[in-house]
Amino acid sequence: MKVKNEMRLEFLSRSQNESFARAAVAAFAAQLDPTLEEITDIKTAVSEAVTNAIIHGYENPNEMVQIITRIYDTYVEIEVIDHGKGIEDIELARQPLYTSKPELERSGMGFTVMETFMDQVEVISAPGQGTKVRMIKYIGNEERETERE
Amino acid sequence: MLADWKRKGDILIVPLKGELDHHQADKVRDFLDRLLEDASIRHLILDLSDLFFMDSSGIGVFIGRYKTISKRGGQVCITNVNTQLHKVLELSGLYRILKKYDTVQHAVDGIRRVSV
Protein backbone atom coordinates (compact mmCIF):
# COMPACT_ATOMS: atom_id res chain seq x y z
CA MET A 1 0.00 0.00 0.00
CA LYS A 2 1.18 3.53 -0.74
CA VAL A 3 2.46 5.79 2.01
CA LYS A 4 0.23 8.85 2.28
CA ASN A 5 2.33 10.73 4.78
CA GLU A 6 5.41 10.21 6.91
CA MET A 7 7.14 11.90 9.83
CA ARG A 8 10.40 11.26 11.67
CA LEU A 9 11.16 12.31 15.19
CA GLU A 10 14.37 12.09 17.21
CA PHE A 11 14.84 12.96 20.85
CA LEU A 12 17.19 12.28 23.75
CA SER A 13 16.56 9.17 25.81
CA ARG A 14 15.17 11.12 28.77
CA SER A 15 12.01 10.15 30.56
CA GLN A 16 10.53 13.66 30.29
CA ASN A 17 10.36 13.11 26.51
CA GLU A 18 7.93 10.20 26.87
CA SER A 19 4.85 12.42 27.03
CA PHE A 20 6.12 14.55 24.13
CA ALA A 21 6.72 11.45 21.97
CA ARG A 22 3.27 9.90 22.48
CA ALA A 23 1.51 13.26 22.00
CA ALA A 24 3.45 13.95 18.78
CA VAL A 25 2.63 10.55 17.26
CA ALA A 26 -1.02 10.89 18.30
CA ALA A 27 -1.25 14.35 16.72
CA PHE A 28 0.22 13.04 13.47
CA ALA A 29 -2.03 9.96 13.42
CA ALA A 30 -5.06 12.23 13.89
CA GLN A 31 -4.98 12.74 10.08
CA LEU A 32 -6.67 9.34 9.74
CA ASP A 33 -9.63 10.62 11.74
CA PRO A 34 -9.38 7.99 14.49
CA THR A 35 -11.80 7.65 17.37
CA LEU A 36 -10.70 8.90 20.78
CA GLU A 37 -10.18 5.28 21.84
CA GLU A 38 -7.97 4.52 18.83
CA ILE A 39 -5.84 7.60 19.54
CA THR A 40 -5.51 6.65 23.20
CA ASP A 41 -4.51 3.10 22.23
CA ILE A 42 -1.76 4.51 20.01
CA LYS A 43 -0.57 6.87 22.75
CA THR A 44 -0.39 4.05 25.28
CA ALA A 45 1.50 1.70 22.94
CA VAL A 46 3.99 4.43 21.92
CA SER A 47 4.53 5.26 25.58
CA GLU A 48 5.45 1.63 26.29
CA ALA A 49 7.83 1.34 23.35
CA VAL A 50 9.58 4.65 24.13
CA THR A 51 9.86 3.76 27.82
CA ASN A 52 11.47 0.44 26.87
CA ALA A 53 14.00 2.24 24.65
CA ILE A 54 14.89 4.61 27.50
CA ILE A 55 14.99 2.13 30.38
CA HIS A 56 16.16 -1.06 28.69
CA GLY A 57 17.75 0.01 25.41
CA TYR A 58 20.01 2.76 26.64
CA GLU A 59 20.11 3.02 30.44
CA ASN A 60 21.58 6.51 29.97
CA PRO A 61 19.92 9.80 29.05
CA ASN A 62 22.23 11.02 26.28
CA GLU A 63 21.34 8.76 23.36
CA MET A 64 18.79 9.28 20.62
CA VAL A 65 15.46 7.52 20.30
CA GLN A 66 13.92 7.66 16.85
CA ILE A 67 10.28 7.33 15.84
CA ILE A 68 9.11 6.95 12.26
CA THR A 69 5.37 7.19 11.65
CA ARG A 70 3.78 6.43 8.28
CA ILE A 71 0.18 6.92 7.37
CA TYR A 72 -1.51 4.64 4.86
CA ASP A 73 -5.14 4.58 3.64
CA THR A 74 -6.45 2.42 6.45
CA TYR A 75 -3.71 2.16 9.03
CA VAL A 76 -0.83 3.87 10.77
CA GLU A 77 2.61 2.28 11.08
CA ILE A 78 4.90 3.35 13.92
CA GLU A 79 8.52 2.35 14.37
CA VAL A 80 10.29 3.08 17.66
CA ILE A 81 14.02 2.60 17.25
CA ASP A 82 16.96 2.66 19.64
CA HIS A 83 20.59 1.81 19.00
CA GLY A 84 21.13 0.48 22.51
CA LYS A 85 22.00 -2.87 23.95
CA GLY A 86 19.31 -4.94 22.22
CA ILE A 87 17.24 -7.85 23.50
CA GLU A 88 18.79 -11.27 24.02
CA ASP A 89 15.60 -13.34 24.13
CA ILE A 90 12.74 -11.54 22.38
CA GLU A 91 10.18 -14.24 23.12
CA LEU A 92 10.93 -14.05 26.85
CA ALA A 93 10.85 -10.24 26.82
CA ARG A 94 7.37 -10.30 25.24
CA GLN A 95 5.89 -12.55 27.91
CA PRO A 96 3.40 -10.92 30.28
CA LEU A 97 4.90 -10.02 33.66
CA TYR A 98 8.47 -10.70 32.54
CA THR A 99 10.82 -7.87 33.45
CA SER A 100 14.59 -7.67 33.47
CA LYS A 101 14.33 -4.85 36.00
CA PRO A 102 12.07 -5.94 38.89
CA GLU A 103 14.09 -3.70 41.23
CA LEU A 104 12.65 -0.67 39.41
CA GLU A 105 9.13 -1.90 40.12
CA ARG A 106 8.51 -2.48 36.43
CA SER A 107 5.38 -4.52 35.81
CA GLY A 108 6.61 -6.46 32.79
CA MET A 109 3.43 -5.59 30.93
CA GLY A 110 4.89 -3.25 28.28
CA PHE A 111 4.81 -5.62 25.30
CA THR A 112 1.45 -7.04 26.40
CA VAL A 113 -0.01 -3.52 26.35
CA MET A 114 1.46 -2.88 22.88
CA GLU A 115 0.09 -6.20 21.58
CA THR A 116 -3.34 -5.58 23.04
CA PHE A 117 -3.73 -1.97 21.92
CA MET A 118 -2.23 -2.32 18.43
CA ASP A 119 -3.16 -4.72 15.61
CA GLN A 120 0.38 -5.87 14.86
CA VAL A 121 3.62 -5.67 16.86
CA GLU A 122 6.96 -6.82 15.48
CA VAL A 123 10.18 -6.70 17.47
CA ILE A 124 13.50 -6.69 15.63
CA SER A 125 16.47 -6.82 17.98
CA ALA A 126 19.81 -8.47 18.66
CA PRO A 127 22.33 -8.03 21.49
CA GLY A 128 24.48 -4.96 20.79
CA GLN A 129 22.40 -4.04 17.74
CA GLY A 130 19.60 -2.00 19.26
CA THR A 131 15.89 -2.61 19.00
CA LYS A 132 13.17 -1.70 16.53
CA VAL A 133 9.54 -2.09 17.52
CA ARG A 134 7.19 -1.86 14.53
CA MET A 135 3.52 -1.46 15.28
CA ILE A 136 0.44 -1.18 13.09
CA LYS A 137 -2.99 0.08 14.02
CA TYR A 138 -5.94 -0.06 11.64
CA ILE A 139 -8.15 2.99 11.86
CA GLY A 140 -11.83 3.08 11.11
CA ASN A 141 -12.70 -0.62 10.86
CA GLU A 142 -16.16 -2.03 10.10
CA GLU A 143 -17.10 -2.27 13.74
CA ARG A 144 -16.72 1.46 14.02
CA GLU A 145 -18.84 2.09 10.92
CA THR A 146 -21.59 0.02 12.52
CA GLU A 147 -21.32 1.99 15.73
CA ARG A 148 -21.84 5.21 13.81
CA GLU A 149 -24.96 4.06 11.98
CA MET B 1 0.70 16.20 39.98
CA LEU B 2 0.39 15.46 43.70
CA ALA B 3 -1.28 17.42 46.44
CA ASP B 4 -4.54 17.62 48.34
CA TRP B 5 -4.28 14.28 50.09
CA LYS B 6 -6.76 13.66 52.90
CA ARG B 7 -7.14 11.39 55.90
CA LYS B 8 -10.37 9.80 57.06
CA GLY B 9 -9.48 7.82 60.17
CA ASP B 10 -7.15 5.05 59.03
CA ILE B 11 -7.88 5.73 55.34
CA LEU B 12 -5.51 7.79 53.20
CA ILE B 13 -7.11 9.40 50.14
CA VAL B 14 -4.78 10.64 47.40
CA PRO B 15 -5.89 12.20 44.11
CA LEU B 16 -3.55 11.42 41.21
CA LYS B 17 -3.44 14.01 38.46
CA GLY B 18 -2.20 14.35 34.91
CA GLU B 19 -0.38 11.44 33.30
CA LEU B 20 1.16 8.47 35.10
CA ASP B 21 4.01 7.25 32.92
CA HIS B 22 7.57 6.12 33.66
CA HIS B 23 8.68 9.75 34.12
CA GLN B 24 5.99 10.52 36.71
CA ALA B 25 6.03 7.07 38.36
CA ASP B 26 9.10 7.75 40.50
CA LYS B 27 7.61 10.95 41.92
CA VAL B 28 4.26 9.33 42.67
CA ARG B 29 5.96 6.33 44.27
CA ASP B 30 8.15 8.51 46.52
CA PHE B 31 5.24 10.73 47.48
CA LEU B 32 2.97 7.81 48.40
CA ASP B 33 5.73 5.96 50.26
CA ARG B 34 6.49 9.04 52.36
CA LEU B 35 2.82 9.32 53.35
CA LEU B 36 2.62 5.57 54.02
CA GLU B 37 5.50 5.79 56.51
CA ASP B 38 2.72 6.73 58.93
CA ALA B 39 1.88 3.27 60.26
CA SER B 40 -1.59 4.36 61.40
CA ILE B 41 -2.69 4.36 57.75
CA ARG B 42 -4.36 1.07 56.98
CA HIS B 43 -6.24 1.68 53.72
CA LEU B 44 -5.43 3.64 50.58
CA ILE B 45 -7.86 5.23 48.14
CA LEU B 46 -6.38 6.54 44.91
CA ASP B 47 -8.79 8.95 43.27
CA LEU B 48 -8.16 8.92 39.51
CA SER B 49 -10.71 11.64 38.54
CA ASP B 50 -7.99 13.88 37.14
CA LEU B 51 -5.64 11.18 35.89
CA PHE B 52 -5.95 11.31 32.12
CA PHE B 53 -3.39 8.74 31.06
CA MET B 54 -1.54 5.76 32.44
CA ASP B 55 0.75 3.13 30.92
CA SER B 56 2.24 -0.01 32.45
CA SER B 57 4.56 2.09 34.65
CA GLY B 58 1.44 2.89 36.67
CA ILE B 59 0.73 -0.81 37.18
CA GLY B 60 4.10 -1.18 38.93
CA VAL B 61 3.31 1.77 41.21
CA PHE B 62 -0.09 0.33 42.17
CA ILE B 63 1.24 -3.19 42.83
CA GLY B 64 4.09 -1.83 45.00
CA ARG B 65 1.71 0.21 47.21
CA TYR B 66 -0.70 -2.73 47.38
CA LYS B 67 2.12 -4.82 48.91
CA THR B 68 2.62 -2.23 51.66
CA ILE B 69 -1.09 -1.88 52.44
CA SER B 70 -1.89 -5.59 52.32
CA LYS B 71 0.79 -6.23 54.98
CA ARG B 72 -1.27 -3.95 57.23
CA GLY B 73 -4.41 -5.93 56.48
CA GLY B 74 -5.84 -3.01 54.52
CA GLN B 75 -7.34 -2.44 51.09
CA VAL B 76 -6.28 -0.36 48.11
CA CYS B 77 -9.19 1.17 46.22
CA ILE B 78 -9.31 3.22 43.04
CA THR B 79 -12.12 5.58 42.11
CA ASN B 80 -13.34 7.52 39.07
CA VAL B 81 -11.50 5.36 36.53
CA ASN B 82 -11.76 6.58 32.91
CA THR B 83 -11.96 4.24 29.89
CA GLN B 84 -8.24 4.35 29.02
CA LEU B 85 -7.15 3.66 32.59
CA HIS B 86 -9.74 0.90 32.86
CA LYS B 87 -8.34 -0.83 29.77
CA VAL B 88 -4.78 -0.84 31.17
CA LEU B 89 -5.92 -1.92 34.64
CA GLU B 90 -8.12 -4.71 33.33
CA LEU B 91 -5.46 -6.01 30.96
CA SER B 92 -2.94 -6.23 33.80
CA GLY B 93 -5.31 -8.15 36.06
CA LEU B 94 -5.06 -5.42 38.69
CA TYR B 95 -8.73 -5.67 39.60
CA ARG B 96 -7.93 -8.95 41.32
CA ILE B 97 -6.14 -6.94 44.04
CA LEU B 98 -7.51 -3.40 43.73
CA LYS B 99 -11.13 -2.55 44.35
CA LYS B 100 -12.78 -0.14 41.94
CA TYR B 101 -15.48 2.27 43.10
CA ASP B 102 -17.36 5.02 41.29
CA THR B 103 -16.60 7.67 43.87
CA VAL B 104 -14.34 8.27 46.87
CA GLN B 105 -17.38 8.18 49.17
CA HIS B 106 -18.39 4.74 47.84
CA ALA B 107 -14.84 3.53 48.47
CA VAL B 108 -14.86 4.87 52.04
CA ASP B 109 -18.24 3.19 52.66
CA GLY B 110 -16.96 -0.05 51.09
CA ILE B 111 -13.87 -0.12 53.30
CA ARG B 112 -15.91 0.63 56.46
CA ARG B 113 -18.39 -2.15 55.63
CA VAL B 114 -15.60 -4.70 55.30
CA SER B 115 -13.59 -3.55 58.35
CA VAL B 116 -16.51 -3.44 60.81
Side-chain angles (χ1 to χ4, degrees):
Chain A
M1 212 182 256
K2 239 177 81 184
V3 178
K4 287 178 80 183
N5 202 354
E6 177 172 330
M7 75 92 161
R8 284 163 191 254
L9 191 66
E10 264 195 322
F11 51 89
L12 281 171
S13 50
R14 297 183 181 185
S15 62
Q16 59 266 50
N17 289 332
E18 291 157 3
S19 64
F20 162 70
R22 62 179 176 259
V25 173
F28 188 72
Q31 293 170 34
L32 275 165
D33 191 23
T35 61
L36 184 60
E37 184 174 1
E38 286 164 341
I39 272 291
T40 313
D41 288 353
I42 291 169
K43 270 174 105 171
T44 314
V46 168
S47 195
E48 300 294 351
V50 170
T51 302
N52 276 355
I54 291 173
I55 298 182
H56 300 289
Y58 286 129
E59 301 176 313
N60 89 70
N62 300 311
E63 307 287 344
M64 295 306 272
V65 179
Q66 190 186 23
I67 299 182
I68 304 171
T69 307
R70 296 185 188 94
I71 289 178
Y72 297 82
D73 272 337
T74 53
Y75 63 92
V76 57
E77 174 193 49
I78 302 157
E79 293 179 345
V80 178
I81 302 156
D82 71 65
H83 302 286
K85 67 175 188 180
I87 303 170
E88 219 159 284
D89 186 339
I90 296 174
E91 209 179 308
L92 179 66
R94 290 180 77 146
Q95 280 185 15
L97 303 173
Y98 172 80
T99 176
S100 57
K101 293 200 178 353
E103 72 283 3
L104 294 184
E105 230 175 44
R106 304 299 311 164
S107 66
M109 292 299 286
F111 278 119
T112 307
V113 169
M114 290 181 237
E115 284 161 5
T116 308
F117 289 13
M118 302 296 274
D119 293 305
Q120 277 178 40
V121 178
E122 188 187 356
V123 184
I124 303 143
S125 183
Q129 310 273 305
T131 299
K132 171 151 97 177
V133 176
R134 183 171 165 269
M135 303 183 280
I136 283 178
K137 175 91 172 167
Y138 289 91
I139 303 296
N141 56 26
E142 281 169 30
E143 203 180 315
R144 182 181 155 204
E145 293 307 316
T146 321
E147 274 170 24
R148 279 187 170 173
E149 274 166 17
Chain B
M1 103 178 256
L2 300 152
D4 317 326
W5 57 273
K6 272 186 287 194
R7 274 292 291 270
K8 273 196 178 179
D10 58 0
I11 306 172
L12 173 69
I13 304 161
V14 185
L16 299 183
K17 294 177 182 172
E19 303 191 313
L20 181 53
D21 61 4
H22 158 239
H23 181 63
Q24 296 294 341
D26 286 344
K27 291 173 206 165
V28 174
R29 181 181 294 123
D30 291 349
F31 181 80
L32 290 174
D33 284 352
R34 235 175 304 133
L35 291 173
L36 291 174
E37 278 171 16
D38 180 344
S40 68
I41 295 168
R42 193 156 158 245
H43 306 282
L44 174 64
I45 298 173
L46 296 168
D47 180 19
L48 311 186
S49 307
D50 295 318
L51 190 70
F52 305 113
F53 175 88
M54 176 182 128
D55 65 16
S56 73
S57 307
I59 300 170
V61 174
F62 289 177
I63 292 176
R65 308 305 67 78
Y66 167 78
K67 285 181 184 162
T68 309
I69 289 292
S70 63
K71 276 182 207 146
R72 300 177 190 179
Q75 293 180 54
V76 179
C77 305
I78 45 175
T79 63
N80 298 296
V81 181
N82 79 24
T83 319
Q84 190 264 340
L85 305 178
H86 175 72
K87 235 172 140 175
V88 175
L89 290 163
E90 194 175 44
L91 166 70
S92 61
L94 233 57
Y95 289 133
R96 270 173 283 175
I97 58 171
L98 305 184
K99 282 210 168 160
K100 181 177 143 206
Y101 290 95
D102 290 343
T103 65
V104 171
Q105 190 53 51
H106 285 152
V108 170
D109 295 344
I111 289 169
R112 297 247 161 92
R113 250 197 316 275
V114 175
S115 342
V116 168

